[in-house]
Amino acid sequence: MIVSNRAPSVDGSDDSGGLVVALKDALAKDGGLWIGGAAQQTERPSASLVLHHRADFDIGLCEMESGLYQDYYLGYSNSVLWPALHGRLDLIDVQPRYAAAYREVARRLARTIAEAVAEDDLIWVHDYQLIPLAHELKALGVKSRIGFFLHIPLPDLQTFKAIPDWRDLARWLADYDLVGFQTQRDLGHMINIFRHTLRGELRANGNMGIDGREIALGCFPISINVDGFRRLADEGAADTPPPPLPRLIGVDRLDYSKGLPQRLAGYEVFLESNPEFHSQVGLLQVAPPTRDDVDAYKEIRSELEHLAGHINGRFGTVDWTPVQYIHRALPRDQLAVLFRLSRVGLVTPLFDGMNLVAKEYVAAQDEADPGVLILSQFAGAAEEMPEALIVNPHDPQDIARAIKAALEMPLAERVERHGALYSHLRIHDVDHWSAAFLKRLLSVERIGVDGVAHFPGLEPWAAAG
Ligand code: ADP
Ligand code: G6P
């Protein structure tokens, strides 16, 4: 059973956002039930899940009142946790009703799940919107194994402590059987937080002992359906003409964590210091709207539009528009072709759990004539993709230098860097990610109230024997 705030659309239409894109690929293979809390707002919510059947898997939606949902989603999740976990303490907006709504949504979801779950079901909870869920499920007597995966970064202890409810959050995380992270960086932060807050002790097997229980921890870098995305690029590229000029591409939800103004500032420095590239290159930035009702998101939108207009006004000519900006989601097959036909992929978040766009860009390339990935040192993907051109997204000069190096990189070097990135990706795809997490969750040994070790799928006597 997968549980997340955002579930894929019931009609299968285009979804953006790494969580839905990756899980859709993972679940489509084996089927299952995906329980989602978002987008089902009604003043008379049903006490049970509202079920929808898709060809690939089932979706169960938990209804809730819109006021409650706003305080939980726009409020606690995206005005407190999202900025805090991305290290943007300046953007946190703490209101007392937000924390209460966050807890209440977890309670509601737990009640609907408790009704539907069987003891040997595995429950896999996703992301910062639902941290208290295991706590609430256990309070209702649910005995299933419960794993949690954090898609976004976990900051260091000092930053974490800026969240008013940090102690509760740490305790709720310790209620899971397995907690997974995108990177070693985040895993290290969790160990430190558990040590400091709950006197956790790191065991030789990498698990953490807390209050007489053992919690498994692990690093599971999320990925994409590499072969599927590559196929989309191959098919589309066959009948799409290449762009008139070499293209740089950026594809990101319009989120302040993605470093979009900093990216444009880097592009501006590049144009300023390399006049020979004027009219010889173009930047396409695709940035669909996201969480529009939160003020910080309104601000980033107008900042980006202002900067794009500024660069076009400063350098553009009658025949050349240096920045093309599209503010909506595009179908995946179109994205795959755009990546394939772009000379440079720009992925420069200020802080990111993983960043799937980096992996999509690499998967979409033609191995014989690949483009170059420019990647922020603060994207989780940088731990796995050292052959990209790694940049500091806060330094426009560094971005400008990398753009020039990418555009001038000889074919042999492009092929070598891409080859290394692509062969890593082909093994570490989204199936590898979900299989690794579920295998670890299944192997977690649980000490029951009777003090006996229980192994999944085995009666205690069988495990002991
Ligand atoms: P996040 O999860 O923070 O949004 P990721 O880069 O990990 O960031 O994942 C974003 C996902 O959303 C990718 O699969 C990407 O292709 C998709 N996406 C981003 N922008 C668009 C867009 N304009 N149209 C369609 N899909 C998009
Ligand atoms: C990131 C988060 C996901 C979220 C997605 C889109 O990927 O990790 O939990 O679903 O962004 O954001 P949204 O608020 O639209 O669900």
Side-chain angles (χ1 to χ4, degrees):
M1 229 180 225
I2 298 246
V3 193
S4 63
N5 172 60
R6 168 119 8 232
S9 44
V10 171
D11 63 5
S13 57
D14 299 313
D15 299 293
S16 62
L19 181 150
V20 163
V21 170
L23 281 177
K24 213 160 52 167
D25 282 339
L27 207 62
K29 198 162 147 254
D30 298 325
L33 175 62
W34 187 334
I35 297 173
Q40 285 296 302
Q41 297 158 47
T42 158
E43 293 323 302
R44 304 187 55 179
S46 156
S48 307
L49 291 172
V50 181
L51 289 173
H52 301 268
H53 300 286
R54 281 177 38 145
D56 36 8
F57 48 78
D58 295 331
I59 299 179
L61 297 176
C62 175
E63 295 184 335
M64 59 193 90
E65 298 86 350
S66 94
L68 174 68
Y69 186 74
Q70 304 302 321
D71 286 347
Y72 143 80
Y73 172 73
L74 294 174
Y76 200 78
S77 298
N78 288 312
S79 300
V80 180
L81 287 183
W82 180 274
L85 298 184
H86 283 86
R88 290 300 302 271
L89 302 183
D90 55 318
L91 296 179
I92 293 183
D93 171 19
V94 178
Q95 306 288 342
R97 63 181 200 281
Y98 290 172
Y102 184 70
R103 187 80 196 269
E104 174 58 18
V105 166
R107 272 196 200 113
R108 297 248 189 129
L109 258 173
R111 280 202 292 270
T112 60
I113 294 169
E115 240 182 36
V117 76
E119 189 164 339
D120 57 356
D121 281 339
L122 285 181
I123 304 179
W124 188 2
V125 180
H126 290 263
D127 233 358
Y128 61 102
Q129 302 93 340
L130 298 177
I131 293 173
L133 197 55
H135 179 81
E136 299 298 344
L137 284 165
K138 286 185 174 170
L140 294 173
V142 170
K143 300 275 187 297
S144 310
R145 271 179 172 52
I146 314 176
F148 177 81
F149 184 76
L150 186 67
H151 289 248
I152 68 173
L154 186 70
D156 59 47
L157 175 65
Q158 287 313 317
T159 310
F160 188 72
K161 283 168 85 171
I163 306 169
D165 321 281
W166 61 279
R167 280 199 180 79
D168 289 334
L169 290 165
R171 266 187 222 110
W172 292 330
L173 282 165
D175 276 319
Y176 287 90
D177 296 300
L178 166 64
V179 183
F181 299 92
Q182 303 273 27
T183 55
Q184 294 293 343
R185 166 192 79 187
D186 300 346
L187 176 58
H189 291 158
M190 184 79 268
I191 291 171
N192 211 18
I193 290 168
F194 275 155
R195 270 192 179 131
H196 176 89
T197 318
L198 303 174
R199 304 208 179 139
E201 283 171 18
L202 194 58
R203 304 261 160 91
N205 59 6
N207 294 346
M208 202 99 201
I210 296 176
D211 287 343
R213 275 187 71 235
E214 195 164 284
I215 295 128
L217 299 177
C219 169
F220 305 90
I222 201 169
S223 191
I224 60 167
N225 174 351
V226 177
D227 294 338
F229 202 74
R230 168 66 193 264
R231 236 183 342 267
L232 286 181
D234 283 347
E235 286 163 9
D239 40 39
T240 312
L245 293 175
R247 181 167 60 208
L248 316 171
I249 189 164
V251 175
D252 317 71
R253 282 181 307 102
L254 186 38
D255 194 291
Y256 49 80
S257 66
K258 302 293 179 184
L260 297 174
Q262 289 80 355
R263 184 180 304 170
L264 286 194
Y267 183 56
E268 182 173 10
V269 171
F270 164 75
L271 292 177
E272 199 173 72
S273 39
N274 297 285
E276 70 278 16
F277 278 100
H278 292 188
S279 301
Q280 299 303 315
V281 70
L283 167 63
L284 170 62
Q285 178 62 55
V286 189
T290 180
R291 307 170 196 164
D292 275 352
D293 295 325
V294 177
D295 285 345
Y297 287 83
K298 291 191 187 106
E299 284 159 23
I300 189 84
R301 177 177 176 184
S302 56
E303 190 180 354
L304 190 71
E305 288 173 358
H306 170 80
L307 270 169
H310 163 74
I311 294 175
N312 285 337
R314 180 170 173 202
F315 298 102
T317 64
V318 174
D319 304 318
W320 178 52
T321 308
V323 182
Q324 207 188 337
Y325 161 62
I326 299 178
H327 184 51
R328 62 176 175 278
L330 299 178
R332 272 185 91 58
D333 52 353
Q334 192 180 353
L335 274 188
V337 181
L338 285 170
F339 286 142
R340 162 67 71 90
L341 298 176
S342 296
R343 177 49 72 212
V344 181
L346 274 169
V347 179
T348 56
L350 304 180
F351 208 7
D352 212 333
M354 174 53 59
N355 199 293
L356 292 182
V357 170
K359 297 188 171 181
E360 290 169 352
Y361 179 76
V362 168
Q365 296 308 301
D366 171 4
E367 284 145 282
D369 184 16
V372 179
L373 174 66
I374 295 180
L375 181 61
S376 160
Q377 67 192 76
F378 301 115
E383 269 189 17
E384 279 183 282
M385 305 179 92
E387 297 86 1
L389 294 184
I390 305 291
V391 294
N392 174 1
H394 298 280
D395 179 359
Q397 311 289 336
D398 200 27
I399 295 178
R401 272 193 301 272
I403 293 175
K404 184 157 192 272
L407 289 168
E408 292 178 341
M409 190 178 288
L411 177 64
E413 185 179 348
R414 283 192 276 125
V415 169
E416 197 184 325
R417 284 177 183 268
H418 175 263
L421 291 167
Y422 190 56
S423 38
H424 174 86
L425 261 191
R426 290 207 65 188
I427 300 169
H428 299 91
D429 65 359
V430 71
D431 288 343
H432 182 276
W433 167 74
S434 58
F437 187 94
L438 291 173
K439 189 171 162 211
R440 183 81 187 275
L441 183 57
L442 274 165
S443 74
V444 168
E445 185 183 325
R446 298 187 69 191
I447 307 296
V449 276
D450 50 4
V452 176
H454 295 270
F455 290 85
L458 293 177
E459 293 306 318
W461 57 265

